[in-house]
Amino acid sequence: MAGVSTATVSRVLNEPERVSAKTRSRVEAAVAHFDYTPHFGGRALASNRTNTVGAVIPTMENAIFARGLQALQEALAETGVTLVVATSNYDPEREAQQIRALLGRGVDGFVLIGEARDPALYETLERRGVPFVLVWSWRPDCPWPCVGFDNRAAARAMAQRVLDLGHRRVAMIAGITRGNDRATARVKGVRDALTARGLGLDESNLIETPYQLEAGADAARRLLSATPRPTVIVCGNDVLAAGALMAIRSLGLNAPDDVSVTGFDDIDLALILDPPLTTVHVPHRRMGDAAARLLLRLRAQEDDTASVVFETGLVERGSLASVGT
């Protein structure tokens, strides 16, 4: 219909800049007439590449992953790569199933959250030659390419600020640490700061719970039932902190007058809480964009494939105050 060869049609679809505007217009008109879309399987067989990247994230309910995924998808789309997303619900076994399922569908690369998983999965990816990037965590001696930040150092900085404001009865609501190196690192960071001041974080002052609003509220009520009660609750993320603030109000207490609360992530929720939440700012979108670009370089076997580390920062708002103020 367009009066051109199949090769020219292919160029219009895949490299339109190589075709004259007049020819491109004829081919595009034929494409519209037949409502044609390229056949994914045929393309994959011809190129031995699907141009898809798999991302396995813990959940779509947390805004931090949504922001990162949006930036990841935008950067991949610039080069014609499609993003396929699966969730694990923080379950290591489910994550392994999702990774293997995506491998079976021929993805060309992976973006994975954190590094705590079965070593056999890493061996499978390396054996198959499928590049991958770990995001949301970073350490200088990580053996795999990663784009993230030092969770332990960020949590330590927050705990140090809490201690500088005079708090000594410190409690923590953490995420489930099993299979979650980010949650584990944040607990270690808080412990680092307390230990340096001759203090500790015993089991009675530490509760691990899912990253859910009601779970955070229930954990806070348990912590606040102690005598004497903690003067501050350090939370593993902003959702848990929001739950803690709910619990404080339900008990007839005020934050930060009676109990201070801190979070981690700096999602939009932190701004609209009452009081607004003191938290750790995490560069979600920048990590997603950088992860996409690093993965594309790995796929192309370029030389510049070093891991990327971002700085976090403390954002002080109304939920944290000095003891007695």
Side-chain angles (χ1 to χ4, degrees):
M1 182 176 177
V4 299
S5 68
T6 55
T8 299
V9 172
S10 179
R11 281 194 293 273
V12 170
L13 294 172
N14 297 294
E15 301 174 286
E17 69 281 357
R18 296 182 56 193
V19 184
S20 70
K22 183 177 179 181
T23 300
R24 190 166 64 242
S25 178
R26 293 206 311 272
V27 173
E28 289 171 348
V31 166
H33 176 79
F34 291 113
D35 196 23
Y36 171 77
T37 56
H39 188 271
F40 176 82
R43 277 185 161 182
L45 286 171
S47 65
N48 198 30
R49 174 169 282 187
T50 62
N51 269 343
T52 59
V53 163
V56 184
I57 65 172
T59 178
M60 293 186 186
E61 294 182 342
N62 194 322
I64 63 167
F65 298 123
R67 283 184 174 181
L69 280 178
Q70 181 66 29
L72 176 69
Q73 189 275 331
E74 290 170 0
L76 292 173
E78 291 176 5
T79 61
V81 175
T82 299
L83 178 65
V84 180
V85 182
T87 60
S88 67
N89 197 30
Y90 292 96
D91 183 339
E93 293 182 4
R94 184 173 177 181
E95 186 201 46
Q97 293 170 359
Q98 299 285 23
I99 291 173
R100 292 192 173 96
L102 289 169
L103 279 172
R105 285 163 175 75
V107 298
D108 301 324
F110 277 99
V111 173
L112 304 172
I113 307 298
E115 63 175 278
R117 57 186 50 85
D118 189 341
L121 279 174
Y122 290 116
E123 294 171 5
T124 296
L125 293 171
E126 291 170 343
R127 184 170 59 252
R128 295 197 181 190
V130 178
F132 59 91
V133 173
L134 309 181
V135 293
W136 258 267
S137 68
W138 174 91
R139 58 185 174 94
D141 55 346
C142 182
W144 304 288
C146 53
V147 173
F149 59 95
D150 190 330
N151 282 270
R152 186 170 183 169
R156 181 168 58 244
M158 176 60 80
Q160 288 170 341
R161 178 58 181 156
V162 163
L163 294 168
D164 288 343
L165 291 173
H167 293 276
R168 294 298 179 267
R169 297 199 301 274
V170 179
M172 183 175 188
I173 305 174
I176 304 297
T177 56
R178 176 183 174 270
N180 187 331
D181 54 290
R182 288 91 57 214
T184 300
R186 293 174 194 181
V187 172
K188 288 180 177 178
V190 172
R191 280 202 164 111
D192 290 344
L194 291 171
T195 299
R197 304 287 180 97
L199 303 171
L201 186 67
D202 58 35
E203 291 185 3
S204 64
N205 286 324
L206 171 64
I207 295 177
E208 294 187 14
T209 193
Y211 288 127
Q212 298 168 1
L213 195 67
E214 285 299 333
D218 290 343
R221 291 187 190 98
R222 289 165 56 191
L223 291 170
L224 293 171
S225 67
T227 303
R229 66 172 177 248
T231 61
V232 62
I233 300 176
V234 177
C235 296
N237 79 351
D238 292 346
V239 174
L240 293 176
L245 289 172
M246 286 173 48
I248 289 168
R249 285 194 298 273
S250 73
L251 294 171
L253 302 172
N254 293 310
D257 298 337
D258 299 308
V259 186
S260 288
V261 176
T262 70
F264 200 113
D265 287 330
D266 197 22
I267 59 177
D268 291 343
L269 175 66
L271 284 169
I272 63 173
L273 291 171
D274 183 20
L277 186 63
T278 292
T279 187
V280 175
H281 176 73
V282 174
H284 319 109
R285 286 190 57 87
R286 292 171 62 201
M287 284 193 297
D289 182 83
R293 300 188 188 284
L294 176 55
L295 185 58
L296 290 171
R297 293 196 297 272
L298 288 166
R299 286 172 77 243
Q301 298 183 331
E302 297 179 6
D303 293 333
D304 182 18
T305 55
S307 293
V308 181
V309 58
F310 288 99
E311 294 296 324
T312 58
L314 300 186
V315 181
E316 296 200 42
R317 300 189 181 104
S319 69
L320 174 64
S322 300
V323 174
T325 62

